[in-house]
Amino acid sequence: MAEQNYRVFFDEAMKQIHAEYKAAGKENEFILWFKVSYVEDTISEITVSVASEFMRQQMDSRNVTSKIEQKIQELTGQSIKLKYVLHNESSKIEETVQSTQINDIQSVQKKTEFEEIAPPVKKHPQLREDYIFENFVPGENSLYAFNASLAAAKNPGKAYNPILIYGGVGLGKTHLMQSIGNYIYKEKGDKCKICYISAETFTNEFITAVRTQTTEKFKNKYRKLDVLLLDDIHFLKDKDSTQEELFYTFNALYDRNCQMVFTCDRPINELKFIEERLRTRFSRGLNIDLQPPNYETRRAILEKKKELLSQTQQFSAVTINRISNDVIDYIAKNVQTNVRDLEGCLTKMIGYAELVGKNVTIEIAQQQLRDIFSSPLSGTITVETIQKVVANHYNISIADIKSNKRSTKFVIPRQISIFIARNLTEYSYPELGGEFGGRDHSTMMHSYEKIADAIKTDSSLDTTIQQLIREIKDYKK
């Protein structure tokens, strides 16, 4: 049976190290790399669990292990070593310990009764089971959002309310939002009314309610919730009636201290199409930016994905182990956009390993991923993408941008498209001219300089262009 002779010393050591990092302004570093959980101990070692082998390696390389061992020695006067096991292995240890303890104090009959009254974990019908905090890998880009989301989940409606998480596609906004819902549902069950819904579905439901004269039913559904998780609020552009309904829904939930979480693809101050009174509501709580993960976090995400795929048995352990650390490193270094693209590349390599039945080498990865690494997800932006995004923003067509129409309605978007294309692509002026209806070199240069001069004195135009650039970089066909 596992002992706990050093449990109090381990907890105190972690507490003191946390305090030291916090005092040095490095609390985020502590939260990210000191992610260990006590399991058991013997007279000479303490067993702790970590999320993955990669995390263990990182902890060793960052001297985390030695710092914990040194602090424990200061407290106990003895040299105690740390022994690592992965989370799934620690669960087996804990299950064995728990079984032994139950057998020591209960009869087999009572143990059976205990197992029978333990209800299975229910799944919320609108939430993905895998979108939980345990499956999210926080890094420097997302640690603030992760901690705020966890705090809100532990104390809904009181800790941080509302929360608005914004950022580009595939960075984990929906994962964190649904993690909050899953956490609360696990704690409170069906007695807590939780609703996850996209802004598009919310809009469609409202339109249907108006058409069928059932708006009271719609209001009762959403204004009596305990938790509202509303995804992609940028979809509310030009939907004034839906925005008005959301405004009143927001007020009703806020007055009852109900937790609200929203996601968006841009900062709140760039939501020009949102009514001012609704924008101020979104700004009441926390507005958190999610940025693309750095290399270390990307590497950890890929390791976590391998671990999850193994647990779900979607692929065999033999197949997953055919992906070498070099291939993981290659993907982590080359995919710098978002989590979704990272996972997509890894899944493609594992699928290849399963179908072909051999180890994936760097050469194979380079060959199989060459199309992905040369596509827009790895940074290549096409003129067509720029034209599409700008045309959509100004409610005109690509044909209008390429045309000879002289109305300001078309000239300004055309010049902005040329300006952005010149900055985001390697096209020369003559090459760009061919993409914009066959215009000559001097016309293209004039358009570029026109916008370059204008943004020096017009801050609103500069803001618009920066917003368009973000949308272009996040654009997916």
Side-chain angles (χ1 to χ4, degrees), residues 38-82:
Y38 175 92
V39 178
E40 62 177 355
D41 64 54
T42 65
I43 195 169
S44 60
E45 69 181 14
I46 296 174
T47 300
V48 295
S49 66
V50 293
S52 67
E53 177 61 22
F54 172 71
M55 283 296 291
R56 187 198 67 75
Q57 294 172 0
Q58 288 293 311
M59 290 169 68
D60 281 345
S61 67
R62 296 168 186 272
N63 296 322
V64 169
T65 303
S66 61
K67 287 176 183 176
I68 297 175
E69 290 176 344
Q70 182 180 350
K71 182 61 69 173
I72 292 173
Q73 184 171 5
E74 291 175 7
L75 295 171
T76 64
Q78 300 180 57
S79 178
I80 309 297
K81 297 296 183 182
L82 287 191

